[in-house]
Amino acid sequence: MSTFRQTLLGIAGLMLNAFVWGVSWWPFRYLHGLGLNPLWATAFIYGVSACAILLWRPGAFAQLLRNRPLWLIVLSSGATNAAFNWGVTVGDVVRVVLLFYLMPVWAALLARWLLHERFTPLMGVRLLLAMAGAMAVLWPPGGGLPLPRQPADWLGVIGGFFFALNNVMLRKYAHTPPEARGLAMFAGGMVVAGGLAALLAARGMASPLPAPAMGWMLAVSLLSLGFLAGNLGLQYGAERLPSSLTAVVMTAEVVFASGSAVLLGAEHLTAPLWIGGSLILLAILLAAWRRPALSLHTHPPRETLT
């Protein structure tokens, strides 16, 4: 396959993943209205996907057990999906998505730690822009410190951190069997979200698992197919494209999320959200600047999401 075609397919895979994540708040809220907590929904969705991987590649489980570094992908992918899906279900969609996209901050620090990447002045500019954008989003109308004020805000920040870790780990261990990496991502969503849901339900802090019903079971099955396709697209694109380009393409999720929330009447965009979102997006777009390797006719370098 030519590099040009591979790059286009990688971008298409990332766009598919961005679309699924961007509009997923609506079906998760629909399921929540049927009595299915977003954590339980996440566990079911990724459980179905994990079973599909095992049916397709029965040896994936043994490969996952042998490749212990992939266990960190289980944790990071699970935490990402649990935090993000929970946040967009119970909180302000646009705020959660923007705080989720503080990835330049976490990715730069993680890449420096895990991949020993050099910290550059431009990287520092991106971090400052991202942090300034977060402050604009979080600034209280009545004054005070710009800190997360709602549980959903924290879920957005936590989800973004683990998403950055997940992308860095996918690049670091791209040499491992792809079916083992795919299983690690899906099993993580099932194990982390399901375990957290069970723990919170036992403590009376979340709703218990509802009785089987055709409505939510059918919705979960359809959503499972969407997330399976989206996550496979993410894995395909993240492995084959420079992380700077991956970061840029994935910002389409902000457009899908905010656009769908506004069109469906769930949210209203305010000036702080516009300002903060613009700064955060600019920080991510700067990751693609100064990189001639982004040409579709050249082989992309193996870099991390910084």
Side-chain angles (χ1 to χ4, degrees):
M1 182 185 298
S2 67
T3 302
F4 177 78
R5 184 181 177 187
Q6 181 173 283
T7 301
L8 290 182
L9 288 176
I11 292 174
L14 294 176
M15 287 292 289
L16 174 61
N17 187 72
F19 174 78
V20 171
W21 277 49
V23 302
S24 64
W25 63 270
W26 184 83
F28 273 106
R29 290 189 178 186
Y30 172 76
L31 288 169
H32 198 215
L34 295 178
L36 188 65
N37 182 284
L39 292 175
W40 287 121
T42 300
F44 277 116
I45 288 167
Y46 281 87
V48 171
S49 300
C51 290
I53 291 288
L54 289 174
L55 289 175
W56 177 50
R57 290 288 190 270
F61 183 69
Q63 293 173 337
L64 175 58
L65 292 180
R66 287 196 298 268
N67 291 275
R68 292 188 177 182
L70 296 183
W71 298 358
L72 187 56
I73 293 180
V74 173
L75 172 63
S76 60
S77 177
T80 294
N81 287 282
F84 181 84
N85 295 340
W86 193 1
V88 296
T89 301
V90 302
D92 185 307
V93 174
V94 181
R95 282 172 63 92
V96 171
V97 171
L98 289 177
L99 294 174
F100 180 84
Y101 270 95
L102 285 176
M103 286 187 299
V105 176
W106 314 127
L109 299 175
L110 290 169
R112 180 71 183 90
W113 175 39
L114 296 173
L115 300 170
H116 311 292
E117 289 196 350
R118 187 168 55 91
F119 195 90
T120 64
L122 183 59
M123 190 182 300
V125 172
R126 297 201 302 267
L127 296 183
L128 290 175
L129 284 171
M131 293 306 296
M135 291 176 64
V137 171
L138 295 171
W139 203 280
L145 295 176
L147 297 174
R149 304 188 299 277
Q150 305 165 4
D153 292 344
W154 284 109
L155 290 171
V157 173
I158 293 170
F161 171 83
F162 280 105
F163 187 55
L165 176 61
N166 187 66
N167 281 2
V168 170
M169 295 299 293
L170 284 175
R171 297 291 292 179
K172 184 176 178 66
Y173 297 105
H175 60 280
T176 57
E179 56 268 31
R181 294 194 305 276
L183 180 61
M185 294 174 66
F186 297 124
M190 177 183 66
V191 172
V192 175
L196 184 57
L199 177 62
L200 294 177
R203 293 175 175 268
M205 301 171 63
S207 58
L209 184 64
M214 182 59 67
W216 69 259
M217 293 176 66
L218 178 60
V220 164
S221 299
L222 294 175
L223 197 54
S224 298
L225 295 177
F227 271 91
L228 176 60
N231 276 274
L232 290 176
L234 168 65
Q235 181 171 297
Y236 183 90
E239 291 170 6
R240 290 164 174 79
L241 301 177
S243 56
S244 54
L245 181 55
T246 297
V248 171
V249 176
M250 288 302 294
T251 58
E253 180 186 339
V254 178
V255 179
F256 290 133
S258 58
S260 62
V262 171
L263 287 175
L264 293 175
E267 309 289 351
H268 297 284
L269 296 180
T270 63
L273 289 177
W274 276 109
I275 296 171
S278 298
L279 291 173
I280 292 172
L281 291 178
L282 179 58
I284 300 176
L285 292 174
L286 278 178
W289 188 66
R290 68 168 177 81
R291 298 179 186 268
L294 292 182
S295 169
L296 297 182
H297 301 283
T298 60
H299 184 72
R302 299 187 64 80
E303 302 168 353
T304 58
L305 196 157
T306 57

